Coordinates of all heavy atoms in Angstrom, one line a residue:
Chain B
D222 N -28.7 -47.5 -16.8 CA -29.6 -46.4 -16.7 C -29.3 -45.3 -17.9 O -30.3 -44.8 -18.5 CB -29.4 -45.6 -15.4 CG -29.7 -46.3 -14.2 OD1 -30.3 -47.3 -14.5 OD2 -29.5 -46.0 -13.0
V223 N -28.0 -45.2 -18.1 CA -27.7 -44.0 -19.2 C -28.1 -44.7 -20.6 O -28.7 -44.0 -21.4 CB -26.2 -43.8 -19.2 CG1 -25.8 -42.9 -20.3 CG2 -25.7 -43.4 -17.9
S224 N -27.9 -46.0 -20.9 CA -28.2 -46.5 -22.2 C -29.7 -46.5 -22.4 O -30.1 -46.5 -23.5 CB -27.5 -48.0 -22.3 OG -28.2 -48.9 -21.6
Q225 N -30.4 -46.8 -21.4 CA -31.9 -46.7 -21.6 C -32.4 -45.4 -22.0 O -33.3 -45.2 -22.8 CB -32.6 -47.2 -20.4 CG -32.8 -48.6 -20.3 CD -33.4 -49.2 -19.0 OE1 -33.5 -48.5 -18.0 NE2 -33.8 -50.4 -19.0
E226 N -31.9 -44.3 -21.4 CA -32.2 -42.9 -21.6 C -31.7 -42.4 -23.0 O -32.4 -41.8 -23.8 CB -31.6 -42.0 -20.5 CG -32.4 -40.7 -20.5 CD -33.4 -40.5 -19.5 OE1 -33.6 -41.4 -18.8 OE2 -34.1 -39.5 -19.6
Y227 N -30.3 -42.7 -23.1 CA -29.7 -42.0 -24.3 C -29.2 -43.1 -25.4 O -28.4 -42.8 -26.2 CB -28.5 -41.3 -23.9 CG -28.8 -40.2 -22.8 CD1 -28.5 -40.4 -21.6 CD2 -29.4 -39.0 -23.3 CE1 -28.9 -39.4 -20.6 CE2 -29.6 -37.9 -22.5 CZ -29.4 -38.2 -21.1 OH -29.7 -37.2 -20.1
G228 N -29.8 -44.2 -25.2 CA -29.5 -45.4 -26.2 C -29.5 -44.9 -27.7 O -28.5 -45.1 -28.5
W229 N -30.4 -44.0 -28.1 CA -30.6 -43.6 -29.4 C -29.4 -42.6 -30.0 O -28.9 -42.7 -30.9 CB -31.9 -43.0 -29.7 CG -32.2 -41.7 -28.7 CD1 -32.7 -41.9 -27.4 CD2 -31.8 -40.4 -28.9 NE1 -32.7 -40.8 -26.8 CE2 -32.1 -39.9 -27.6 CE3 -31.2 -39.8 -29.9 CZ2 -31.9 -38.4 -27.5 CZ3 -31.0 -38.3 -29.7 CH2 -31.3 -37.7 -28.6
L230 N -29.0 -41.9 -28.9 CA -27.8 -41.0 -29.1 C -26.6 -41.7 -29.4 O -26.0 -41.5 -30.3 CB -27.7 -39.9 -27.9 CG -26.6 -39.0 -28.0 CD1 -26.8 -38.0 -29.1 CD2 -26.4 -38.2 -26.7
F231 N -26.3 -42.8 -28.4 CA -25.2 -43.5 -28.5 C -25.1 -44.3 -29.9 O -24.0 -44.4 -30.4 CB -25.1 -44.5 -27.3 CG -24.7 -43.8 -26.1 CD1 -25.1 -44.4 -24.8 CD2 -24.1 -42.6 -26.0 CE1 -24.9 -43.8 -23.7 CE2 -23.8 -42.0 -24.8 CZ -24.2 -42.5 -23.6
Y232 N -26.3 -44.6 -30.2 CA -26.4 -45.4 -31.5 C -25.9 -44.6 -32.7 O -25.0 -44.9 -33.4 CB -27.9 -46.0 -31.8 CG -28.0 -46.6 -33.1 CD1 -27.7 -48.0 -33.2 CD2 -28.5 -46.1 -34.2 CE1 -27.9 -48.7 -34.3 CE2 -28.8 -46.8 -35.3 CZ -28.4 -48.2 -35.3 OH -28.6 -48.9 -36.5
Y233 N -26.4 -43.3 -32.7 CA -25.9 -42.3 -33.8 C -24.4 -42.0 -33.7 O -23.7 -41.8 -34.7 CB -26.8 -41.1 -33.8 CG -28.2 -41.5 -34.3 CD1 -29.3 -41.2 -33.6 CD2 -28.4 -42.0 -35.6 CE1 -30.6 -41.6 -34.0 CE2 -29.7 -42.3 -35.9 CZ -30.7 -42.1 -35.3 OH -32.0 -42.4 -35.6
L234 N -24.0 -41.7 -32.4 CA -22.6 -41.4 -32.1 C -21.7 -42.5 -32.6 O -20.7 -42.3 -33.1 CB -22.4 -41.2 -30.6 CG -22.7 -39.7 -30.2 CD1 -22.6 -39.6 -28.7 CD2 -21.9 -38.8 -30.8
E235 N -22.1 -43.8 -32.4 CA -21.3 -44.9 -32.7 C -21.1 -45.0 -34.3 O -20.1 -45.2 -34.8 CB -22.0 -46.3 -32.3 CG -21.2 -47.5 -32.3 CD -19.9 -47.3 -31.6 OE1 -19.8 -46.8 -30.3 OE2 -18.7 -47.6 -32.1
W236 N -22.4 -44.7 -34.9 CA -22.3 -44.7 -36.4 C -21.2 -43.5 -36.8 O -20.5 -43.8 -37.8 CB -23.7 -44.3 -37.0 CG -24.5 -45.5 -37.4 CD1 -25.5 -45.9 -36.9 CD2 -24.2 -46.3 -38.6 NE1 -26.0 -47.1 -37.5 CE2 -25.1 -47.3 -38.5 CE3 -23.2 -46.3 -39.5 CZ2 -25.1 -48.3 -39.5 CZ3 -23.2 -47.3 -40.4 CH2 -24.2 -48.4 -40.5
A237 N -21.4 -42.3 -36.2 CA -20.5 -41.3 -36.6 C -19.0 -41.6 -36.4 O -18.2 -41.6 -37.3 CB -20.8 -40.0 -35.8
F238 N -18.8 -42.2 -35.2 CA -17.3 -42.6 -35.0 C -16.8 -43.6 -36.0 O -15.7 -43.5 -36.5 CB -17.2 -43.0 -33.6 CG -17.2 -42.0 -32.5 CD1 -18.0 -41.9 -31.4 CD2 -16.2 -40.8 -32.7 CE1 -18.1 -41.0 -30.6 CE2 -16.3 -39.9 -31.7 CZ -17.2 -39.9 -30.7
T239 N -17.7 -44.5 -36.2 CA -17.2 -45.7 -37.1 C -16.9 -45.1 -38.5 O -15.9 -45.5 -39.1 CB -18.3 -46.8 -37.1 OG1 -18.7 -47.2 -35.7 CG2 -17.9 -48.0 -37.9
I240 N -17.8 -44.3 -39.0 CA -17.6 -43.7 -40.3 C -16.3 -42.9 -40.3 O -15.5 -43.0 -41.2 CB -18.8 -42.9 -40.8 CG1 -19.9 -43.9 -40.9 CG2 -18.5 -42.0 -42.0 CD1 -21.3 -43.2 -41.0
L241 N -16.2 -42.1 -39.2 CA -14.8 -41.2 -39.3 C -13.7 -42.0 -39.2 O -12.7 -41.8 -39.9 CB -15.0 -40.3 -38.0 CG -15.8 -39.0 -38.2 CD1 -16.1 -38.3 -36.8 CD2 -15.2 -38.1 -39.1
F242 N -13.6 -43.1 -38.3 CA -12.4 -43.8 -38.2 C -12.2 -44.7 -39.5 O -11.0 -44.8 -39.9 CB -12.4 -44.9 -37.0 CG -12.3 -44.1 -35.7 CD1 -13.2 -44.2 -34.7 CD2 -11.1 -43.4 -35.5 CE1 -12.9 -43.6 -33.4 CE2 -10.9 -42.8 -34.3 CZ -11.9 -42.8 -33.3
T243 N -13.2 -45.2 -40.2 CA -13.1 -45.7 -41.4 C -12.4 -44.9 -42.5 O -11.6 -45.2 -43.2 CB -14.4 -46.4 -42.0 OG1 -15.0 -47.1 -40.9 CG2 -14.3 -47.3 -43.1
L244 N -13.0 -43.6 -42.5 CA -12.5 -42.6 -43.4 C -11.0 -42.6 -43.2 O -10.1 -42.3 -44.1 CB -13.2 -41.3 -43.2 CG -14.3 -41.1 -44.2 CD1 -15.1 -39.8 -43.7 CD2 -13.8 -41.0 -45.6
E245 N -10.7 -42.4 -41.8 CA -9.2 -42.1 -41.4 C -8.4 -43.2 -41.9 O -7.3 -43.0 -42.6 CB -9.1 -42.0 -40.0 CG -7.8 -41.4 -39.4 CD -7.3 -42.4 -38.3 OE1 -8.2 -42.9 -37.6 OE2 -6.1 -42.4 -38.3
L246 N -8.8 -44.4 -41.7 CA -8.0 -45.6 -42.2 C -7.9 -45.5 -43.8 O -6.7 -45.9 -44.3 CB -8.7 -46.8 -41.8 CG -7.9 -48.2 -42.2 CD1 -6.6 -48.1 -41.6 CD2 -8.7 -49.4 -41.8
A247 N -8.9 -45.1 -44.5 CA -8.9 -45.1 -46.0 C -7.9 -44.2 -46.4 O -7.1 -44.4 -47.2 CB -10.3 -44.7 -46.4
V248 N -8.0 -42.9 -45.8 CA -7.0 -41.8 -46.1 C -5.5 -42.3 -45.8 O -4.6 -42.1 -46.6 CB -7.3 -40.6 -45.3 CG1 -6.2 -39.5 -45.7 CG2 -8.6 -40.1 -45.8
R249 N -5.3 -43.0 -44.7 CA -4.0 -43.6 -44.3 C -3.5 -44.5 -45.5 O -2.4 -44.4 -45.9 CB -4.1 -44.3 -43.1 CG -3.5 -43.6 -41.8 CD -3.7 -44.4 -40.5 NE -4.0 -43.5 -39.5 CZ -3.1 -42.8 -38.8 NH1 -1.8 -43.1 -39.2 NH2 -3.4 -42.0 -37.9
I250 N -4.4 -45.4 -45.9 CA -4.0 -46.3 -46.8 C -3.8 -45.6 -48.3 O -2.8 -45.9 -49.0 CB -5.1 -47.4 -47.1 CG1 -5.2 -48.3 -46.0 CG2 -5.0 -48.1 -48.5 CD1 -6.5 -49.1 -45.8
Y251 N -4.5 -44.5 -48.5 CA -4.3 -43.8 -49.8 C -3.1 -43.1 -49.9 O -2.4 -43.2 -50.9 CB -5.5 -42.9 -49.9 CG -5.4 -41.8 -51.1 CD1 -5.5 -42.3 -52.4 CD2 -5.0 -40.4 -50.9 CE1 -5.2 -41.3 -53.4 CE2 -4.9 -39.6 -51.8 CZ -5.0 -40.0 -53.1 OH -4.8 -39.1 -54.2
C252 N -2.6 -42.6 -48.8 CA -1.4 -41.8 -48.9 C 0.0 -42.6 -48.6 O 1.0 -42.0 -48.6 CB -1.5 -40.5 -48.0 SG -1.5 -40.8 -46.2
L253 N -0.2 -43.8 -48.4 CA 1.1 -44.7 -48.3 C 1.5 -45.2 -49.5 O 0.7 -45.7 -50.3 CB 0.8 -45.8 -47.1 CG 0.7 -45.3 -45.6 CD1 0.4 -46.4 -44.8 CD2 2.3 -44.8 -45.4
E254 N 2.7 -45.4 -49.7 CA 3.3 -46.2 -50.8 C 3.0 -47.5 -50.8 O 2.5 -48.2 -51.7 CB 5.0 -45.9 -51.0 CG 5.3 -44.6 -51.1 CD 5.2 -44.3 -52.7 OE1 5.4 -45.1 -53.5 OE2 4.8 -43.1 -53.0

Side-chain angles (χ1 to χ4, degrees):
Chain B
D222 294 354
V223 179
S224 73
Q225 271 173 351
E226 191 97 7
Y227 303 102
W229 53 272
L230 178 65
F231 290 157
Y232 182 78
Y233 290 121
L234 278 173
E235 197 51 48
W236 264 111
F238 283 127
T239 306
I240 290 164
L241 278 168
F242 285 124
T243 310
L244 267 175
E245 189 229 328
L246 182 60
V248 173
R249 259 176 214 277
I250 289 168
Y251 170 70
C252 68
L253 280 171
E254 290 282 323

